[in-house]
Amino acid sequence: MRVRFEVFGGVRVLGANGVITLRPQVARLLGVLLADPETPVRVEQILDRLWNDEPPATAAKIVHVSIGRLRAALAADGGARGDPPPETIVRTTPAGYILAARPDDLDEYLRAHERAVQLRSTRPLDALTAMADALAAWGGQPWGDDGAADWLRDRVFALEESHRTLEEEWGDLMLECDRGTEAVDAFRSAVDAEPRRERRWAQLMVALYRDGRQADALRQYERVRRLLRNELGIEPGPELRRLELAILHQDPSLFRTPTQPSNGDAPTSFVGRDPELGALARAVDRDRLVTVTGIGGIGKSRLVTEYAHRQALAGENVRRLSCAGLAATDRFGEHAARQLGVVVDEGSSVASVIAAAIGPAPDLLVIDGAEPVVDEVGHLALTVLERCARVRIVVTSQIPLAVGIERELRLTGLPQAPLDGPIAGTDLELMLDRAGFDATTLDAATLEVLRAGCRNTGGVPLLIELAARRVGWDFTSATSDDDPSTIGTDPVRAAIAHSLDAADVPARELVTLGSLLPGGMSESLAKALGAFEGDGARRALRQLAWLHLVDAFPGASAVRYRSLDPIRSALVEGLSPTEREQAAARSTSGLQSLLDRIWPDHTAPVVLTVLADVADEHDNLRFLLADRLVDSPGDALELAIGASEYWARRGHMVEGRSWLRETIEAAQPEGPTRWRAVLALVRTTRTMAETAQL
C-alpha cells in the first residue's frame, strides 16, 4: 500500500494506517501543490493562493513550517514498503516546492472518463462499465470548499461540468443499450440534483415511456415546464417539446432511437409512399421548383416533410414556410417574413428580402399549404430562384402554382392491397401500422374487415388514419361496432363523424370551435374557449389528438393542436351561419382573455411570460381581426386594443398600427373607448412626432 492523495470532497492523504491527519493550514498548502503536481510551485505563488494577495508578514515562514509539518505527518504514518521517503515526496528546489505525486482519485476518474469516450461508439457495454467506474470515483467537489477560491474556480467548474456531461452520457448510453428501465431511479435523482438541465428530464421521460408509463412521462414534462416558467419565465426547449409530441403520438422512434427522442419534422412513421418519395427526390434533382399536388388529406405534407427530414439528416439546410390557414392574401408577406425569420421594412419587397437572406447557400425551401395564396407563392418562388442559384423549392398545394418552370407531382390514393399478395406500400399497410396491428396475428375475417374499410376510404391516408384510430387496440375480430367499412359516401365527413362519436362532449365542442382558428390552439387558449376545470382542457386536446382529429405540433411556448385542413374545412362547412357566428365570438372572447393577461391593469407590471403564449396565437389574432371587422367591428376594435401591448413589446409596430387604424375607422368609437383606442395606437408608434400628432 502506498501513500494516496485525494482531492474529491476535500484534500486528504491516505497512508498505510488510514487517513493521515493534517492541520487545516497544511491541508490547504497540500491542495495548492496538488493543483500543479510534479511541477515547481514558487513560494510567492503559494502565498498568493493561500492569502489572496493579502499575506501576513510571516506568511513565508508559515509556508516553510507547513511544509515541514506535511513531511512529518507523512513520516509519522510510516508508509508501506516501497514508498518513497517524505523528503522526496515533497522536495525543495531553487524553483520552488515540488510534490512528486498526483491526486490519485482525480487521475482514476480522468482515465476512466477517457476510456469511456474511446469505447463509446464501438463497444457500448464496455463504455458503460468505464462510465460507472468514473462515476464511482467522483467523491464530491474537487478540492472541497477550497475549490471556490479565485485561482481554482475555473478548473473546478470545468471538472464539474465535464462530470455533469458524463452523467448525461451515461444516461444516453443506458437508453441506447435498452437498459433505461433499470435507471429510472437514477434518472429521478439526476433530475432532482440538476433540475434545470433539460437533457436529464428527456432521459427520465423516455425511460418512463419505454417502461409503459406514458402518463408518468407526460407528468414529468409538466413538472419541468412549471419549474422553468415559475423560476425563469421561459418554456422548455425544442427537444423537450418535440419529445412531448413524440409521446403523444406514441412515436415508434422512441424505442428505436431513444436518446434522440423525436425529430419534430417527422412525427409519425413513413408508410406506403416510398415510390412517390423516390419520384420526388428525382424531380427535385432535375428541376428547382417542384409542386406536390393532390386533394386534402392525400399526404402531400407528410411526403414532403419526410423528404425534407432526410435531406436535413444528410446535412442540407432546410427552410420551411407554412401557409396553412392563411386566408388574407394581403397578409402573406408579413406572414412569410415572420416564419422565415427576416425583417422587412415598410416599402420593401418581401420576396427580395427573403432572397437576400437566403443568399448563395444550397438551401431547400419547403412551402406547405400554398393553395390559398398560389399567386403570392409563385411570385416568391420565381424571385428566390432567380436570385439564389443554388436553392431548390418544394411546394405542397391542392392546385399547381401555374408558373412556367414548375414541375408538378400529383399524389393519388394508396393502392389497394391484393387478397393474396404483399401489403407493402398499400392502404392496408398504413391501416395496420396506425392501428398498431401485426398482420401475422390477425385472422382472415379481421383482415377482410380492415381491407373493406380501406376500400371505402379511397386510399386517402387521412381517412385511413381516422379509421385506424377508431378501430383501436381492442379490435380483434370482425364485429359491426367498430367496423371501418361503415364509412359512407361522403368519406371525409363520415369519418370525422365516426371519430367524433368516440370523443367526449367537451372535446367535440372544442374541435368545432378550434376549426375556425388557422393557428390551432394551445392548452391555455382551449381553457379560455371552453368551461374546463382542472386539466380538462388538456384531457380533451389529447383525446382529440389520439383520435387524429387534431395534430400536435410545437409552438414557441407550448404544444399546440390543429386540425388538418380537410378536417377543418369539413367542420367549418358543417356549421350553420348562427353556429359560425357563435364560434367566432367565443374564439374572440377567449383570445381577448389571453391578451388581458399581458397587462391586467395599468397599475400592475406587464407579465412578460404571457407574450410567448400570445406569439403562438399571432395567426389566430389576424384571422379573428379580419373576421370581426366584417361582422362585429366593435369586437375587432377591443381585440386590437388588447393586442397593442403585444405588438409593441414584440416589435410588430407596423402591423399593430395598421390593424388599429382599420378597426377604429370601422367601429367609429366614442368617449372612453376612443381614448383607449388612441392610447393603444400610441403604443405602436415609432417617433415622438407621431405620438404628439395623436
Side-chain angles (χ1 to χ4, degrees):
M1 177 179 178
R2 57 181 292 275
V3 175
R4 175 181 172 88
F5 296 90
E6 296 182 347
V7 295
F8 283 128
V11 175
R12 290 180 304 280
V13 184
L14 302 179
N17 302 310
V19 177
I20 299 175
T21 303
L22 300 176
R23 296 188 180 189
Q25 189 69 52
V26 177
R28 292 190 64 210
L29 171 62
L30 177 59
V32 171
L33 298 178
L34 283 170
D36 294 298
E38 301 170 350
T39 302
V41 183
R42 293 178 292 106
V43 173
E44 295 79 6
Q45 193 174 7
I46 296 174
L47 299 182
D48 180 54
R49 292 178 174 180
L50 289 179
W51 285 283
N52 196 23
D53 294 332
E54 296 182 0
T58 59
K61 182 176 181 180
I62 293 174
V63 170
H64 296 315
V65 171
S66 297
I67 291 290
R69 287 174 174 166
L70 175 58
R71 289 170 175 160
L74 295 175
D77 178 76
R81 181 178 300 176
D83 281 352
E87 60 272 16
T88 61
I89 295 178
V90 185
R91 303 201 314 270
T92 304
T93 70
Y97 293 108
I98 298 177
L99 180 67
R102 306 181 65 83
D104 293 272
D105 56 348
L106 181 58
D107 278 356
E108 290 168 1
Y109 171 81
L110 293 175
R111 283 197 299 271
H113 195 167
E114 182 180 2
R115 176 173 168 77
V117 171
Q118 293 172 347
L119 297 172
R120 177 71 170 82
S121 59
T122 57
R123 294 158 57 188
L125 293 178
D126 290 338
L128 267 181
T129 301
M131 287 182 182
D133 292 341
L135 295 175
W138 185 275
Q141 178 175 299
W143 280 269
D145 293 339
D146 288 339
D150 291 344
W151 66 275
L152 196 54
R153 184 187 302 122
D154 290 345
R155 185 186 306 183
V156 170
F157 177 81
L159 282 171
E160 290 181 322
E161 188 61 26
S162 174
H163 181 66
R164 294 185 188 100
T165 303
L166 176 66
E167 290 179 320
E168 291 162 1
E169 289 175 349
W170 173 84
D172 287 345
L173 196 52
M174 286 291 285
L175 291 170
E176 285 182 21
C177 295
D178 201 21
R179 296 173 58 182
T181 54
E182 303 173 21
V184 168
D185 290 339
F187 290 146
R188 290 189 191 277
S189 299
V191 161
D192 292 339
E194 300 279 351
R196 296 182 182 179
R197 293 179 76 91
E198 297 185 21
R199 185 176 176 185
R200 301 185 177 209
W201 290 95
Q203 291 170 346
L204 175 58
M205 290 169 65
V206 172
L208 289 170
Y209 179 80
R210 297 187 72 186
D211 197 30
R213 297 152 70 180
Q214 177 178 344
D216 287 345
L218 292 172
R219 274 195 288 271
Q220 299 309 315
Y221 180 83
E222 295 302 327
R223 280 184 61 202
V224 65
R225 184 168 182 258
R226 283 195 302 270
L227 182 143
L228 294 176
R229 294 197 73 169
N230 293 341
E231 291 191 4
L232 304 176
I234 60 176
E235 290 291 329
E239 286 302 320
L240 273 184
R241 295 203 298 271
R242 283 196 288 264
L243 176 55
E244 188 198 20
L245 290 180
I247 293 173
L248 287 171
H249 281 289
Q250 299 180 354
D251 189 342
S253 70
L254 286 168
F255 290 90
R256 291 195 297 268
T257 55
T259 58
Q260 297 296 327
S262 173
N263 188 319
D265 301 332
T268 58
S269 53
F270 187 71
V271 178
R273 289 291 194 190
D274 287 331
E276 290 85 348
L277 184 63
L280 175 59
R282 291 189 296 273
V284 176
D285 287 341
R286 290 193 305 267
D287 302 275
R288 296 177 59 207
L289 174 61
V290 177
T291 302
V292 180
T293 62
I295 64 172
I298 202 67
K300 303 182 297 296
S301 297
R302 185 64 187 89
L303 175 70
V304 172
T305 295
E306 182 67 21
Y307 173 74
H309 172 61
R310 297 187 184 190
Q311 293 301 112
L313 290 179
E316 185 167 7
N317 186 39
V318 179
R319 300 173 186 263
R320 294 173 177 80
L321 167 60
S322 174
C323 306
L326 189 62
T329 58
D330 58 326
R331 305 285 176 186
F332 171 76
E334 61 191 45
H335 174 82
R338 184 166 62 88
Q339 286 215 351
L340 294 174
V342 300
V343 179
V344 181
D345 293 331
E346 291 182 81
S348 300
S349 165
V350 174
S352 298
V353 173
I354 291 174
I358 294 175
D363 287 6
L364 174 67
L365 174 59
V366 174
I367 304 177
D368 189 31
E371 56 271 2
V373 284
V374 287
D375 291 341
E376 290 76 8
V377 169
H379 175 255
L380 172 63
L382 291 174
T383 304
V384 170
L385 291 174
E386 179 184 0
R387 303 187 184 185
C388 306
R390 303 175 67 189
V391 167
R392 296 168 300 157
I393 301 176
V394 179
V395 180
T396 70
S397 175
Q398 294 187 23
I399 57 176
L401 303 183
V403 296
I405 61 173
E406 171 189 30
R407 176 179 289 273
E408 181 183 0
L409 179 64
R410 185 164 186 81
L411 288 189
T412 57
L414 291 170
Q416 292 183 9
L419 288 176
D420 298 318
I423 65 171
T426 67
D427 51 4
L428 184 57
E429 182 189 19
L430 181 61
M431 171 74 83
L432 293 169
D433 180 85
R434 295 301 188 255
F437 291 145
D438 181 354
T440 61
T441 64
L442 299 179
D443 56 41
T446 300
L447 279 173
E448 179 53 35
V449 170
L450 295 174
R451 188 177 278 107
C454 290
R455 284 196 296 271
N456 286 317
T457 65
V460 177
L462 172 64
L463 303 184
I464 295 173
E465 296 198 1
L466 285 173
R469 291 290 190 182
R470 189 71 175 103
V471 168
W473 287 91
D474 296 328
F475 186 84
T476 56
S477 62
T479 63
S480 59
D481 293 340
D482 283 321
D483 186 347
S485 65
T486 57
I487 294 175
T489 55
D490 187 349
V492 176
R493 292 186 181 180
I496 293 171
H498 204 55
S499 294
L500 283 174
D501 287 342
D504 296 338
V505 173
R508 291 200 293 268
E509 293 180 352
L510 189 60
V511 75
T512 303
L513 285 171
S515 65
L516 280 181
L517 302 174
M521 70 184 83
S522 63
E523 184 183 326
S524 298
L525 184 58
K527 285 181 180 178
L529 292 178
F532 293 105
E533 296 182 0
D535 60 353
R538 182 181 311 150
R539 288 199 304 270
L541 287 169
R542 289 178 176 172
Q543 185 182 65
L544 294 171
W546 190 88
L547 291 169
H548 213 67
L549 290 169
V550 299
D551 197 25
F553 64 99
S557 64
V559 175
R560 298 187 62 76
Y561 301 84
R562 178 177 58 208
S563 296
L564 296 176
D565 286 347
I567 296 177
R568 284 187 63 240
S569 299
L571 289 171
V572 172
E573 289 171 5
L575 296 175
S576 67
T578 301
E579 289 172 333
R580 189 193 183 287
E581 172 61 25
Q582 291 173 347
R586 283 183 63 179
S587 298
T588 302
S589 177
L591 184 53
Q592 183 70 59
S593 67
L594 191 61
L595 293 170
D596 291 343
R597 288 169 48 200
I598 298 177
W599 203 358
D601 63 76
H602 290 185
T603 64
V606 171
V607 185
L608 296 178
T609 55
V610 182
L611 292 177
D613 292 338
V614 176
D616 277 344
E617 307 299 338
H618 203 129
D619 289 339
N620 293 335
L621 175 62
R622 291 168 172 157
F623 170 80
L624 290 172
L625 282 168
D627 182 84
R628 297 290 82 192
L629 263 174
V630 176
D631 296 328
S632 180
D635 288 347
L637 177 61
E638 289 295 335
L639 199 59
I641 293 173
S644 61
E645 193 63 29
Y646 162 71
W647 283 321
R649 296 275 177 171
R650 284 302 179 96
H652 303 295
M653 310 287 273
V654 175
E655 179 185 357
R657 194 158 57 245
S658 173
W659 280 118
L660 280 163
R661 285 174 174 164
E662 283 188 57
T663 53
I664 290 172
E665 181 179 351
Q668 293 295 310
E670 297 181 355
T673 303
R674 183 170 185 83
W675 278 108
R676 289 172 52 240
V678 172
L679 288 172
L681 199 56
V682 168
R683 293 292 294 123
T684 60
T685 58
R686 288 182 172 177
T687 66
M688 289 301 295
E690 290 176 324
T691 303
Q693 184 180 14
L694 286 169

